[in-house]
Amino acid sequence: MITMMALILAGGRGERLRPLTDKIPKPLLPVKGKPLLEWQVELLKKYRINEIMICGHYMFDKIKEYFGTGARFGVNIKYIYEEVPLGTGGAMKNAESEINSTVVVIYGDIFTDINIKNLLTFHKSKKADATIVLHESDHPRDSDAVEINGNQRITRILGRGTEVKLTKSSIYVLEPAVFNYMKEKCSFEDDVLPVVIKSRNVFGYVTSETIMDIGTVQRYGAVK
């Protein structure tokens, strides 16, 4: 298996989940008996991804206190702190100095059981610079719809407000070169992806596996 790293973006304030997130950061909200972030760490460990970086800002000390070095979970965790929120692309850029190989990126509000081995096999077979995990969303009008061709290459992000059900999740596989397109403070979705799609090999990995975000009270209630 490829020597792998993972990057978890866990810095969001979780405004749409207030008051639940007033005293606890969104990635530590309990899901089926344990923090959401713990499910992610265990999933990565299952696929032998032991080098994990967690990027964060809001109540970041609570996350660090819970996971520590990662030793009790069988992984090694590094923490990348944002003094001010940098946006999703900025958070990734902030971790760039730690990236030296293919990296799996997962946003900290995602509950999933995705088979990461199959995802990486797809990424490698396509010689992709970036792979975006795609699925049919049950809330397409507020998800980013995606257009792909017959070779599963992503041709464009259609954005929100459409009825197209094939949407992007917040799970990616990225090569280090993609980080060159990021700025100190930017949105990965709005500022980086459109440029990368036009200039690099970006593919969509379509799956029906469980991928649920807990970004709203309603969605959190459906997962927990």
Side-chain angles (χ1 to χ4, degrees):
M1 195 172 192
I2 307 168
T3 301
M4 283 296 308
M5 312 175 78
L7 186 62
I8 300 174
L9 302 191
R13 171 65 178 80
E15 291 287 351
R16 293 182 298 172
L17 280 163
R18 297 183 70 179
L20 296 176
T21 52
D22 285 343
K23 295 183 179 180
I24 185 172
K26 181 167 57 173
L28 289 188
L29 286 174
V31 173
K32 304 182 188 299
K34 55 189 171 186
L36 173 61
L37 195 54
E38 187 171 343
W39 286 103
Q40 295 185 345
V41 170
E42 289 178 348
L43 180 69
L44 293 166
K45 168 65 176 175
K46 177 180 177 180
Y47 291 100
R48 299 181 181 180
I49 302 175
N50 300 324
E51 297 297 320
I52 300 173
M53 293 161 286
I54 301 178
C55 300
H57 170 72
Y58 178 68
M59 291 192 186
F60 202 39
D61 285 344
K62 288 185 180 293
I63 293 174
K64 293 169 70 174
E65 180 181 350
Y66 186 88
F67 289 96
T69 64
R72 70 187 177 99
F73 302 96
V75 299
N76 179 47
I77 296 178
K78 292 183 180 179
Y79 298 94
I80 314 294
Y81 178 64
E82 300 167 50
E83 292 187 5
V84 296
L86 301 173
T88 50
M92 294 186 206
K93 187 70 172 179
N94 198 36
E96 183 178 21
S97 63
E98 303 288 342
I99 306 296
N100 55 30
S101 67
T102 307
V103 60
V104 174
V105 178
I106 304 178
Y107 286 18
D109 60 357
I110 299 295
F111 178 71
T112 182
D113 63 358
I114 190 170
N115 186 313
I116 296 177
K117 181 179 179 180
N118 291 346
L119 170 61
L120 292 172
T121 298
F122 173 89
H123 177 80
K124 186 177 180 180
S125 71
K126 294 294 188 181
K127 296 181 173 57
D129 296 304
T131 294
I132 305 174
V133 176
L134 308 178
H135 62 140
E136 288 197 1
S137 174
D138 58 2
H139 46 87
R141 291 200 64 81
D142 65 345
S143 300
D144 284 321
V146 174
E147 181 179 86
I148 59 175
N149 65 20
N151 191 36
Q152 291 183 272
R153 185 168 186 146
I154 293 178
T155 52
R156 60 178 174 149
I157 304 291
L158 300 174
R160 302 187 176 194
T162 77
E163 295 296 338
V164 177
K165 289 188 175 182
L166 186 63
T167 64
K168 74 171 196 61
S169 71
S170 296
I171 304 174
Y172 307 93
V173 182
L174 305 178
E175 295 301 322
V178 174
F179 287 76
N180 294 331
Y181 295 83
M182 301 172 192
K183 298 179 181 179
E184 183 177 333
K185 190 171 185 179
C186 66
S187 164
F188 183 68
E189 293 76 13
D190 299 333
D191 302 321
V192 180
L193 267 184
V195 178
V196 173
I197 287 170
K198 289 180 179 179
S199 55
R200 310 291 298 204
N201 295 319
V202 181
F203 289 86
Y205 178 80
V206 182
T207 181
S208 60
E209 295 165 297
T210 298
I211 302 174
M212 302 175 71
D213 77 74
I214 66 160
T216 67
V217 173
Q218 181 180 14
R219 290 178 206 161
Y220 175 54
V223 174
K224 72 171 185 175

